Amino acid sequence: MNPRTHFKKISILPLLIALVLAVGVAPARATPACGLASQTLALGHFPDGSLNLMCNEFDQYGWYLKTKVKGDSDVYIVRNTWPVGAHSGWHTHPGPSLITVISGELTVYEADNPTCTPTVYHAGESFTDLGCGDVHLIRNEGTVCAVNMVIQIIPAGLPRRIDADQPPNCPVFTCPSPTPCPQ
């Protein structure tokens, strides 16, 4: 066997495999937000080390906080307004979010939940979103407009949101024409 001919046959094989995979893989189905209005109220930049916080190390208040962040961070304060039927689309964030529902109620679906069972949060309730690859969708399934406030801590310069594909274990949400919330 001619070594040059053998080499050519082998070198084409990975290209053929890559072509089959590229053609055979379904295109990504990112799910953009629908009807959601987001307003950035503040953006702060914190240099490396400035979010290394410790409070109440000696348990003086029955509460303890320790945060350590490596690298520069951006901290956003965001107000989201959700008409009835509006949703965030499936997404994640490059860092954590602290969310408080101000009015109405929001339903949260987590892609890593095998049954995609939603959790409902009402006005006055708060929840966290770890981000960092945890994919979720937030939707207003209530009967009135909903508003929430979010504090997000993310690596400096990165986008606040990363679109994700529709999880196979979760419902598909269409994008109705939500009635805008009164201002």
Side-chain angles (χ1 to χ4, degrees), residues 72-112:
D72 293 355
S73 301
D74 289 333
V75 176
Y76 285 84
I77 300 174
V78 177
R79 175 188 170 106
N80 294 318
T81 303
W82 308 77
V84 173
H87 66 77
S88 64
W90 292 101
H91 68 285
T92 187
H93 307 279
S97 301
L98 307 172
I99 302 114
T100 298
V101 180
I102 303 300
S103 63
E105 64 183 39
L106 294 171
T107 303
V108 179
Y109 294 85
E110 300 287 346
D112 66 354

Side-chain angles (χ1 to χ4, degrees), residues 6 8 18 22 41 43 49-50 55 64 81 86 116 132 142 149 164 179 181:
H6 180 68
K8 287 180 184 177
L41 301 177
L43 167 59
S50 62
C55 180
Y64 176 73
T81 303
C116 206
C132 303
M149 297 293 287
T179 303
C181 294

Side-chain angles (χ1 to χ4, degrees), residues 147-173:
V147 176
N148 72 329
M149 297 293 287
V150 182
I151 297 173
Q152 287 184 301
I153 304 169
I154 64 169
L158 290 183
R160 290 187 316 106
R161 174 193 162 99
I162 302 165
D163 286 344
D165 294 341
Q166 169 71 44
N169 58 313
C170 293
V172 174
F173 297 106

Side-chain angles (χ1 to χ4, degrees), residues 41-54:
L41 301 177
L43 167 59
H45 180 78
F46 293 80
D48 183 26
S50 62
L51 290 179
N52 295 348
L53 309 169
M54 186 181 312

